[in-house]
Amino acid sequence: MKERHDRYAILDRERMPWGKYAGRRISELSVDYCKFALTSVDQLNPLLRDLLKLRIDKEKNWLKDLKQQLAHYESVANENDARAKHFEVECERYREQVHRMQAEGWANTRTQAIPCLRTLRRRFAARYHPDAEGGSTATMALVNQIFNELERELIADERVAD
């Protein structure tokens, strides 16, 4: 999954060392105060000067940054959609394989196929689980739904055969 780089994150970590807003995060300072501090203080710490300029820059570019963040999250969502489609195609292939096994009249289809399905389910769960990198809740729900469906079909078909 792509990581979003936030160039303004340092403003939330660093604090104003002196003045009226001493101890407050730089991100909480008003833009007017930042401009005042930049123009009125003679020997300003270079790091603090850069932080104050960055705070002003953040205020100027908030709409552009918001659009970039939205674009980032849309690309992540599209990436997950593509993974889900790939997963559906792969599961459809396994479903067809199960139906082919049944059509060929395999004896004890359930006892042979269920362990195979459980192994596949574990493999997909390892890849698409929300706690795994690149996983999502929606994809994992799809994994569970498809494998539960396959298992139910195998059990129902075996009952009909008996």
Side-chain angles (χ1 to χ4, degrees), residues 6 11 18-19 34 38 40 42 48 51-53 59 75 87 92 94 108 116 129-130 139 143 145 149 153:
D6 187 5
L11 297 176
W18 46 261
C34 293
L38 284 170
S40 64
D42 293 333
L48 184 59
L51 289 172
L52 293 174
K53 287 180 181 178
E59 194 68 28
S75 72
F87 173 74
E92 187 59 37
Y94 287 115
N108 300 323
C116 178
H129 194 275
T139 310
V143 168
Q145 176 189 350
E149 220 174 274
E153 285 179 30

Side-chain angles (χ1 to χ4, degrees), residues 37-54:
L38 284 170
T39 56
S40 64
V41 178
D42 293 333
Q43 294 186 356
L44 194 59
N45 179 341
L47 175 63
L48 184 59
R49 182 182 332 108
D50 291 344
L51 289 172
L52 293 174
K53 287 180 181 178
L54 189 62

Side-chain angles (χ1 to χ4, degrees), residues 79-96:
E79 200 174 282
N80 284 340
D81 287 346
R83 284 184 184 154
K85 287 176 186 168
H86 168 73
F87 173 74
E88 287 178 16
V89 168
E90 210 168 328
C91 285
E92 187 59 37
R93 194 178 77 217
Y94 287 115
R95 182 179 286 137
E96 288 170 6

Side-chain angles (χ1 to χ4, degrees), residues 1-67:
M1 187 167 138
K2 296 178 188 172
E3 290 296 321
R4 186 176 64 89
H5 176 69
D6 187 5
R7 67 186 193 149
Y8 300 116
I10 193 169
L11 297 176
D12 291 327
R13 291 190 309 262
E14 297 295 323
R15 296 185 179 271
M16 187 68 178
W18 46 261
K20 176 174 158 180
Y21 296 106
R24 286 203 182 165
R25 290 186 172 89
I26 303 292
S27 62
E28 297 172 357
L29 300 179
S30 71
V31 173
D32 293 333
Y33 183 75
C34 293
K35 289 178 182 176
F36 166 76
L38 284 170
T39 56
S40 64
V41 178
D42 293 333
Q43 294 186 356
L44 194 59
N45 179 341
L47 175 63
L48 184 59
R49 182 182 332 108
D50 291 344
L51 289 172
L52 293 174
K53 287 180 181 178
L54 189 62
R55 172 65 182 104
I56 294 168
D57 185 53
K58 180 181 179 181
E59 194 68 28
K60 283 183 192 174
N61 297 323
W62 70 271
L63 183 59
K64 184 176 87 176
D65 291 335
L66 181 64
K67 287 179 182 177

